[in-house]
Amino acid sequence: MNDQHEHSLDCTPDGDGPCDQAHDAYRRLATWTAPDSGYVLASGGFSADARRHYRTYVTAWLQWCQRGDAPVDPYTCDRALIAVWISDQYADAPLTTRAAIVSAVTSFYEHLLQLRVADGVDAHLTRATLAGAPVSGDPKRTGLRGDGPRWLMQAADRLTGRDALRDRAICYLLLNGHFGHEKIRPGTLLAMDLDDGRHHGTHTTWRIHPKNASATAAITITISRDAARALDAYTGRQTDGTHTPDPAQGRVTNPARGTFPDRGALFTAAGNRARGARLARSDSIQRIIRSVVASHEELDTLTADFIAATPPPAGTGGERKAAATA
């Protein structure tokens, strides 16, 4: 590895001065996150804010590699060292912050592995594991484990009152990864539109806008059968594909903002009410989850992001087994 130095966030791939002594990874990072870079994330986009945050986090990681009496070559290190760095530098940070940092660094390594310049890095260490490491035995850092998903579903199924169908649908969507499909984060839920869902007979798909992607980027994901059924109940979906939601369930529409019973924003919070009026002003995904979790005797304080990180049951390899056997 090249000589140590304090790398600047303003360095460019062809920078002068100290950058001439920088590890090549800095140049790769600068090229990857440059405004005119053609590189994208797996989601198909790379927004300006994401580029800035990713560059900041990865630079902090590379600087940490160079410190101490035994500097680490980021091209050959075991990727598990990222977990040590997270624990060393960000132990007191919220799980969502640690997850964002891990996402940036692991995305950078995915890029390096594609370039075949970091073959010594473990390509199979998951982001969820890194975000919670090195205390991987602590389920509160790596998503619900054991009976946790079943307890959350029990709590969701017990809901009553005006917003019961809405809150149940949110819980089941956050468990989409546990059901064997793509993880859906809280911010993604708030960007979902009813008219982006498609029923294909045997399964349901939804077009979503991934976090950190450009405004026009979208991908299609599979919604679990359980979540699809909860969404159908919430939206009042009929067998002919139309929607007739029960007014008593509190599913508010706002024609003035383009939100109708059969199209428009699916869930909305105070921060993005311009898209519609699905949630009351005082509501948020986090508040809903806190209320649901507090109703179950076996669950402790959890966040929506933490629930979204829940992995599938070990050994299933796909759609989850029945809740009774989870």
Side-chain angles (χ1 to χ4, degrees):
M1 189 172 73
N2 304 119
D3 294 336
Q4 298 182 54
H5 86 292
E6 291 298 320
H7 186 68
S8 169
L9 289 177
D10 298 323
C11 290
T12 58
D14 55 351
D16 298 325
C19 287
D20 288 339
Q21 285 76 49
H23 191 284
D24 182 64
Y26 287 116
R27 295 186 176 85
R28 303 281 187 182
L29 172 62
T31 301
W32 186 55
T33 56
D36 58 350
S37 168
Y39 296 114
V40 296
L41 302 175
S43 60
F46 208 166
S47 67
D49 284 344
R51 291 177 188 275
R52 182 171 63 255
H53 290 145
Y54 277 32
R55 186 166 182 170
T56 298
Y57 292 144
V58 177
T59 296
W61 157 247
L62 294 177
Q63 289 178 338
W64 185 82
C65 288
Q66 293 181 292
R67 293 172 182 161
D69 297 330
V72 176
D73 183 350
Y75 279 1
T76 61
C77 70
D78 186 327
R79 192 157 154 180
L81 278 177
I82 300 172
V84 177
W85 168 63
I86 292 289
S87 178
D88 183 35
Q89 300 293 314
Y90 303 99
D92 296 328
L95 174 63
T96 52
T97 300
R98 296 199 304 272
I101 295 170
V102 166
S103 179
V105 177
T106 53
S107 292
F108 180 56
Y109 273 111
E110 287 169 5
H111 171 61
L112 294 182
L113 289 167
Q114 290 175 356
L115 297 178
R116 299 183 182 279
V117 295
D119 291 340
V121 177
D122 178 8
H124 303 292
L125 196 59
T126 67
R127 295 179 184 181
T129 300
L130 284 172
V135 284
S136 56
D138 180 359
K140 290 188 178 183
R141 297 200 179 195
T142 56
L144 288 165
R145 301 299 176 101
D147 288 327
R150 179 170 61 85
W151 290 336
L152 180 64
M153 286 184 276
Q154 285 178 346
D157 291 341
R158 293 175 185 172
L159 293 172
T160 59
R162 186 194 67 176
D163 296 319
L165 295 182
R166 179 202 67 187
D167 296 352
R168 183 177 298 118
I170 288 172
C171 291
Y172 274 89
L173 283 169
L174 288 174
L175 286 172
N176 203 56
H178 170 70
F179 293 133
H181 300 295
E182 299 88 345
K183 179 175 73 175
I184 304 178
R185 302 184 66 174
T188 301
L189 292 183
L190 295 179
M192 291 178 70
D193 271 76
L194 182 58
D195 37 346
D196 284 337
R198 297 288 183 272
H199 289 266
H200 306 279
T202 58
H203 65 288
T204 299
T205 61
W206 220 282
R207 282 179 60 79
I208 64 169
H209 300 279
K211 183 179 179 180
N212 290 330
S214 59
T216 58
I219 59 175
T220 298
I221 65 171
T222 298
I223 300 295
S224 75
R225 291 193 298 267
D226 304 75
R229 283 192 286 264
L231 281 171
D232 286 348
Y234 167 55
T235 61
R237 184 178 182 275
Q238 307 300 307
T239 55
D240 61 358
T242 61
H243 294 82
T244 310
D246 181 357
Q249 287 292 333
R251 186 172 183 272
V252 182
T253 61
N254 189 345
R257 298 295 180 89
T259 304
F260 297 86
D262 59 347
R263 67 182 188 275
L266 188 61
F267 305 111
T268 311
N272 60 350
R273 285 181 60 80
R275 299 184 60 253
R278 287 292 194 271
L279 303 186
R281 290 185 184 275
S282 61
D283 283 346
S284 69
I285 299 294
Q286 297 294 354
R287 186 207 63 77
I288 290 168
I289 290 303
R290 285 197 298 270
S291 177
V292 174
V293 168
S295 71
H296 197 283
E297 59 278 6
E298 298 291 346
L299 292 173
D300 200 349
T301 303
L302 303 174
T303 67
D305 269 301
F306 166 71
I307 293 171
T310 301
T316 60
E319 187 79 7
R320 72 171 180 86
K321 297 179 180 179
T325 61

